[in-house]
Amino acid sequence: MDNSFRMGKAIAVGQEKIFTALPVSPGVAIGRAFRYGAVSAEPEKRIIRPEEVQSELEALNLAIEYTKQDISKLHGDLKQKLDSESAEIFNAHLMIVSDPGLLKDARKLVEQEHYGAEYAFFAAASRYARVLSEMPDEYFRERASDVRDVAMRVVNRLRKDKGNYGNKLEDKRIIFAHDLSPSETALLDRNLVLGFAVESGSATSHTSILARSLHLPAVSGVPPEVMNDLSAADKVILDGYSGKIIINPEKRTEEAYILKAEAAGKFYSGLQRDHALQAETKDGFTVQLAANLASLDNLDELQASGAQGVGLFRTEFMLFNTSRLPGEEEQFEVYRKLMLANERKPVIIRTFDVGGDKFTDLFGRPAEANPFLGLRGIRLCLKEQRKLFRDQLKALLRAGEFGDLRIMLPMVSVTEEILETRSLILELYDELAAEKKHFSRQCKLGVMIETPAA
């Protein structure tokens, strides 16, 4: 690689300047720059009188409830427009604002330190964010920005600001900012924003994930000198493939990038046109391309993608953000919809893989010394959650009537777990027959090989 294109290095070519950053969302954007400033300032450290404590606590509780409503609405809106992974970002935000420990810490700052509600919640959330930002794992460091995003939502609600993220655009622009929160990114006007460049963040940040879902070219790790010198009159080329930022490009540079953008557009149009073609090599070998789904949110994309079935459907989404375990009928409706949408192509549904990093409060289990290899997956279902497992298997067998359904067991370690499940399925055949319910005896049973013992 040419050393002149190291991160942050500027190269002057005539009037144009070239910088490099980290590409986080592919595509090419060409247009004028727009400096996007922070929408809301951090709250002041306001001290209240003792007699104001109760009213501040009530205001905080109300702001949190309104924030939950705001996030839930945004989550619902995005589920209609984007993929499920992007929408679930705001499900995580809902969990943050609902965190009892965070609220307890904020209330304590109001009650004991006599801070105003705005600063109290912001300070409590900042402590959480600081702990996350200092963790060695990049994934956890990136979650600090989500905590800050939620904190500013609550603060804005306390200010009677419903979260109208400002910086109004009047024409098409490329956004430059120190940072963009997931909320700000989700609310960008796709008709006016050509792409964006931020100083902070990484390819795994929720802002980057949203950029890819919105099909916006984006880069992060932008050198500070870019922000310092940039003006609204500057024309910019943003290359989301290589991470290049070209300010005031020469005519031949711009022409080259126009051709690059056109070629990329033709390529993706070709993919859309050819999605229904068989994935077959010239010598006749067929590769079965199947979808990987974590909920029903992507059924439209499943049909449009040309996928030859579902290679893995995760069922854990039914166990989270709910106060009760899903019953047979509720699960049956989910699986039936999936089978009907898949038009009798093979569908592999994995039974509940809960445990390790995916324990739910519904189970109320204490932490284990080695949760990833402890009581989880098929072991948890057979030993502690047998009723839930029976309901799931009954729902799956009934859904098997609507297509080629295959059942996958997670975290299998020994043959006995398969034999016990097969024996249970035979029992359920008799139970379903006695209940006069239609079901399939043809569902194949498979396992996921992922444990050292297996």
Side-chain angles (χ1 to χ4, degrees):
M1 179 180 288
D2 185 346
N3 289 332
S4 64
F5 285 99
R6 291 172 299 182
M7 187 75 75
K9 179 83 172 174
I11 306 96
V13 182
Q15 295 298 312
E16 71 180 26
K17 289 185 178 180
I18 304 174
F19 297 84
T20 52
L22 175 70
V24 297
S25 182
V28 172
I30 304 175
R32 300 288 175 188
F34 182 85
R35 292 282 297 274
Y36 190 98
V39 177
S40 299
E42 295 180 6
E44 297 179 4
K45 190 185 289 187
R46 182 170 60 91
I47 304 298
I48 61 174
R49 298 188 302 274
E51 59 267 27
E52 296 178 293
V53 167
Q54 189 56 40
S55 63
E56 288 292 307
L57 292 175
E58 290 172 0
L60 177 59
N61 290 336
L62 189 61
I64 286 174
E65 288 307 312
Y66 278 133
T67 301
K68 289 178 183 178
Q69 294 174 23
D70 294 339
I71 296 173
S72 295
K73 184 179 185 304
L74 184 56
H75 176 254
D77 291 345
L78 289 181
K79 282 177 70 173
Q80 304 300 319
K81 297 188 294 185
L82 304 179
D83 59 273
S84 60
E85 181 185 12
S86 300
E88 286 308 305
I89 290 170
F90 294 96
N91 218 6
H93 283 205
L94 200 58
M95 294 173 69
I96 293 170
V97 78
S98 303
D99 186 90
L102 176 56
L103 181 56
K104 181 180 178 182
D105 288 351
R107 290 177 64 91
K108 188 181 293 185
L109 289 174
V110 175
E111 294 169 338
Q112 298 181 6
E113 304 296 331
H114 289 178
Y115 289 140
E118 293 175 21
Y119 181 78
F121 190 86
F122 181 82
S126 295
R127 291 176 188 172
Y128 280 61
R130 188 162 54 251
V131 170
L132 288 169
S133 64
E134 292 172 353
M135 287 188 170
D137 190 292
E138 183 183 23
Y139 176 84
F140 287 108
R141 290 199 303 271
E142 289 295 347
R143 300 296 76 80
S145 65
D146 294 297
V147 175
R148 296 188 191 101
D149 190 355
V150 170
M152 288 312 303
R153 277 187 169 275
V154 174
V155 168
N156 288 336
R157 268 297 183 176
L158 284 162
R159 292 169 171 165
K160 309 296 190 242
D161 173 0
K162 296 182 180 179
N164 177 22
Y165 293 90
N167 294 283
K168 294 290 186 181
L169 293 174
E170 296 179 355
D171 55 1
K172 293 186 176 183
R173 296 276 176 159
I174 297 174
I175 300 289
F176 282 80
H178 169 68
D179 190 16
L180 282 176
S181 70
S183 294
E184 289 169 319
T185 306
L187 294 172
L188 291 175
D189 188 339
R190 185 65 182 86
N191 295 318
L192 296 178
V193 177
L194 301 172
F196 66 81
V198 293
E199 289 183 349
S200 60
S202 72
T204 60
S205 72
H206 281 163
T207 295
S208 298
I209 291 170
L210 284 167
R212 293 191 286 273
S213 295
L214 291 165
H215 304 294
L216 285 173
V219 300
S220 67
V222 176
E225 57 264 35
V226 174
M227 303 294 188
N228 296 337
D229 297 338
L230 206 60
S231 75
D234 288 325
K235 177 174 275 192
V236 176
I237 295 175
L238 183 69
D239 187 341
Y241 298 107
S242 68
K244 289 182 186 175
I245 302 167
I246 306 173
I247 299 175
N248 296 321
E250 294 186 341
K251 184 178 180 181
R252 61 180 181 178
T253 304
E254 184 173 349
E255 289 173 348
Y257 268 95
I258 289 172
L259 292 175
K260 183 175 182 177
E262 289 175 351
K266 289 178 181 177
F267 174 74
Y268 287 113
S269 295
L271 288 181
Q272 291 294 319
R273 185 183 63 250
D274 298 338
H275 78 271
L277 294 178
Q278 185 75 14
E280 185 176 303
T281 61
K282 289 183 177 180
D283 60 355
F285 181 78
T286 300
V287 179
Q288 184 177 349
L289 297 176
N292 185 335
L293 300 178
S295 71
L296 293 180
D297 293 340
N298 299 102
L299 288 186
D300 291 342
E301 293 178 30
L302 169 65
Q303 294 167 337
S305 69
Q308 297 300 302
V310 175
L312 177 63
F313 181 74
R314 298 178 174 88
T315 56
E316 294 77 46
F317 71 95
M318 287 184 278
L319 299 178
F320 295 94
N321 301 313
T322 181
S323 58
R324 59 179 180 77
L325 294 172
E328 177 189 334
E329 292 302 323
E330 181 181 342
Q331 293 189 58
F332 169 65
E333 281 305 312
V334 170
Y335 307 143
R336 184 181 68 85
K337 287 178 182 176
L338 176 64
M339 300 305 295
L340 291 173
N342 207 52
E343 301 173 346
R344 307 198 78 82
K345 295 172 185 172
V347 176
I348 298 175
I349 299 180
R350 187 178 68 187
T351 60
F352 294 125
D353 183 13
V354 185
D357 60 336
K358 294 183 287 187
F359 259 123
T360 167
D361 292 338
L362 295 174
F363 294 165
R365 298 202 81 258
E368 296 184 80
N370 190 353
F372 286 90
L373 297 178
L375 192 62
R376 61 169 296 185
I378 187 62
R379 297 189 293 281
L380 183 71
C381 288
L382 288 172
K383 294 182 182 296
E384 285 194 1
Q385 297 296 328
R386 201 171 182 89
K387 169 66 166 60
L388 176 67
F389 192 39
R390 288 176 66 91
D391 285 345
Q392 183 173 40
L393 289 174
K394 287 178 72 174
L396 287 168
L397 293 172
R398 291 171 61 191
E401 278 270 287
F402 299 92
D404 183 3
L405 188 150
R406 305 168 188 195
I407 302 170
M408 176 186 283
L409 306 179
M411 298 299 292
V412 168
S413 298
V414 293
T415 309
E416 285 74 16
E417 290 163 349
I418 304 171
L419 296 176
E420 187 175 353
T421 302
R422 290 175 64 87
S423 177
L424 178 57
I425 288 174
L426 291 176
E427 288 180 28
L428 296 178
Y429 284 165
D430 294 338
E431 193 171 310
L432 288 166
E435 294 171 354
K436 294 184 168 40
K437 292 177 179 176
H438 295 286
F439 66 96
S440 172
R441 295 177 183 266
Q442 306 304 315
C443 298
K444 295 180 179 179
L445 186 67
V447 301
M448 183 173 280
I449 301 297
E450 54 191 324
T451 69

